């Protein structure tokens, strides 16, 4: 039995072009990018700088504003802890959303225990921030607002440009976890008024274990306290020998995205809408979690009335989807995102996240929809509401 992969928000397969670009750096071009005295080092450094430029280009940034990390979890940690650390002041205040990724929420929690003041704003039922609530939350001690671009569970797109403008007006830095949007939507740190931005290679057809933090150098220049002591790599912001093959792959993934993302996004929107239509035609009691209006093309998150989530998962071994609480590492209580948008208790655990991506086909979507309809009908017959 073939398993259809519909979990592109969790990770993506490496694009063959990306793998191809990486291989020499696991072979003859194994140099350390920090070795400045010989050709092995220079080759590695050259490749890293090409990748840095490709990532910067896709973000509308300058190459020197890109800091390589081990992934977006580290980027989020570095952004929040780095800004608060550089601000120095006890009682610094940061603002974030209840629906952020754990890497932001847990970091904010750690900062709070260390004396930082944290405001975690709730969201509207459609999953979006209320801009007036955000404005009201910003005060004289606020140093940072951290709001994600696209949510990894329900796919909703926050009004990033307006949030950035509001931060700019108030002289507050704006950090954006753009992992789920980067390489899919046109992201521009200048147009979107972003001062710090977290991105990850493995969410956009690159390798796992490599990411970046964009750190604005001008208007304003962002000061960050490094979180790792060592050799002072990456302009002193992130020490550690660079993952050269990973970085090369990340750069290639960005180059591919720059070429193909517009067309790909359109195609995924059509497929996602088809999936939604098939489910709604085939079943009663299908609830979409999160608003549809501002939403990533490849995302659909739905709950099925009167269906047990575990039974659904067990009955669908041929579909790789994410369900209920799978997104929160902390277990208990289900998804913090679904809770934050006020999902009904009985609809929490059958919440199913379909993530479509580059290799998803029309046939796969038709098959997946058919199987879900069949299984949900059967489960409802077995266990009438
Ligand atoms: C996956 C993800 C992360 C974490 O990225 P890693 O590179 O896996 O550490 C952070 N934020 C969002 C929105 C994500 O989807």
């Amino acid at each position: 039995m073939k398993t259809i992969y519909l979990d592109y928000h969790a990770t993506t397969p490496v694009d063959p072009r990306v793998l191809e670009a990486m291989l020499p750096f696991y072979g003859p071009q194994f140099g350390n990018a920090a070795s400045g005295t010989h050709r092995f080092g220079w080759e590695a450094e050259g490749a890293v700088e090409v990748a840095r430029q490709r990532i910067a280009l896709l973000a509308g940034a300058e190459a020197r504003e890109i800091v390589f990390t081990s992934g977006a979890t580290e980027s989020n940690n570095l952004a929040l802890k780095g800004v608060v650390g550089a601000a120095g002041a006890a009682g610094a205040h940061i603002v974030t959303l209840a629906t952020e990724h754990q890497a932001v929420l847990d970091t904010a929690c750690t900062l709070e225990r260390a004396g930082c003041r944290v405001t975690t704003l709730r969201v509207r039922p459609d999953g979006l921030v209320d801009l007036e609530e955000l404005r009201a939350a910003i005060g004289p001690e606020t140093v940072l607002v951290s709001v994600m671009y696209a949510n990894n569970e329900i796919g909703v797109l926050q009004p990033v440009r307006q949030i950035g403008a509001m931060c700019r007006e108030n002289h507050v830095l704006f950090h954006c976890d753009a992992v789920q949007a980067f390489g899919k939507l046109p992201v521009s740190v200048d147009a979107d008024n972003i001062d710090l931005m977290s991105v990850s290679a493995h969410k956009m057809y690159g390798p796992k274990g490599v990411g970046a933090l964009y750190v604005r150098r001008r208007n304003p220049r962002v000061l960050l306290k490094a979180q790792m002591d060592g050799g002072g790599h990456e302009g002193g912001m992130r020490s550690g020998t660079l993952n050269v093959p990973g970085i090369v792959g990340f750069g290639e993934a960005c180059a591919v995205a720059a070429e193909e993302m517009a067309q790909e996004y359109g195609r995924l929107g059509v497929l996602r809408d088809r999936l939604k239509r098939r489910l709604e035609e085939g079943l009663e009691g299908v609830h979409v979690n999160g608003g549809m209006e501002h939403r990533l093309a490849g995302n659909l998150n739905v709950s099925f009335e009167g269906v047990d989530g575990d039974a659904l998962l067990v009955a669908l071994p041929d579909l790789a989807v994410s369900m209920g609480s799978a997104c929160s590492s902390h277990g208990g209580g289900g998804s913090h995102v679904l809770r934050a948008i006020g999902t009904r208790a009985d609809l929490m655990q059958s919440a199913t996240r379909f993530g479509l991506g580059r290799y998803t086909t029309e046939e796969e979507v038709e098959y997946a929809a058919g199987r879900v309809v069949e299984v949900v009908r059967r489960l409802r017959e077995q266990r009438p509401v």
Side-chain angles (χ1 to χ4, degrees), residues 172-185:
V172 170
L173 295 177
F174 175 37
H175 167 249
C176 185
D177 175 343
V179 169
Q180 295 289 344
F182 194 59
K184 302 184 178 87
L185 287 164

Side-chain angles (χ1 to χ4, degrees), residues 26-216:
Y26 281 121
Q29 290 177 262
F30 59 84
N32 184 330
S35 298
T37 53
H38 50 70
R39 198 166 59 82
F40 294 92
W42 301 329
E43 277 176 6
E45 197 212 355
V48 165
E49 292 317 311
V50 168
R52 200 187 298 278
Q53 258 161 21
R54 290 172 144 183
I55 295 156
L57 191 65
L58 193 60
E62 288 175 34
R64 65 196 182 111
E65 296 176 306
I66 302 298
V67 174
F68 287 114
T69 65
S70 64
T73 296
E74 185 189 341
S75 300
N76 286 342
N77 270 264
L78 179 56
L80 271 67
K81 292 174 183 168
V83 165
V84 170
H93 176 231
I94 64 178
V95 180
T96 188
L97 293 190
T99 50
E100 291 296 305
H101 192 270
Q102 283 306 338
V104 165
L105 292 177
D106 286 0
T107 302
C109 205
T110 297
L111 287 169
E112 196 168 31
R113 281 195 297 270
C116 184
R117 206 157 59 78
V118 177
T119 302
T120 308
L121 294 174
R122 54 197 189 130
V123 294
R124 309 186 314 202
D126 65 358
L128 300 191
V129 65
D130 182 320
L131 286 170
E132 286 319 306
E133 279 187 29
L134 176 60
R135 189 187 299 281
I138 295 174
E141 280 165 355
T142 312
V143 292
L144 183 74
V145 168
S146 180
V147 173
M148 72 204 320
Y149 211 114
N151 187 272
N152 48 299
E153 291 188 40
I154 55 175
V156 297
L157 303 166
Q158 297 294 347
V160 164
R161 196 160 291 190
Q162 287 101 301
I163 295 169
M166 192 182 288
C167 290
R168 191 63 39 94
E169 257 171 58
N170 289 280
H171 304 288
V172 170
L173 295 177
F174 175 37
H175 167 249
C176 185
D177 175 343
V179 169
Q180 295 289 344
F182 194 59
K184 302 184 178 87
L185 287 164
V187 170
S188 161
V189 291
D190 283 338
D192 295 336
N193 304 301
I194 293 170
D195 298 312
L196 300 115
M197 180 168 79
S198 302
V199 293
S200 180
H202 79 97
K203 303 291 177 78
M204 52 179 295
Y205 312 98
K208 292 165 185 64
V210 58
L213 180 66
Y214 158 79
V215 184
R216 183 175 287 284

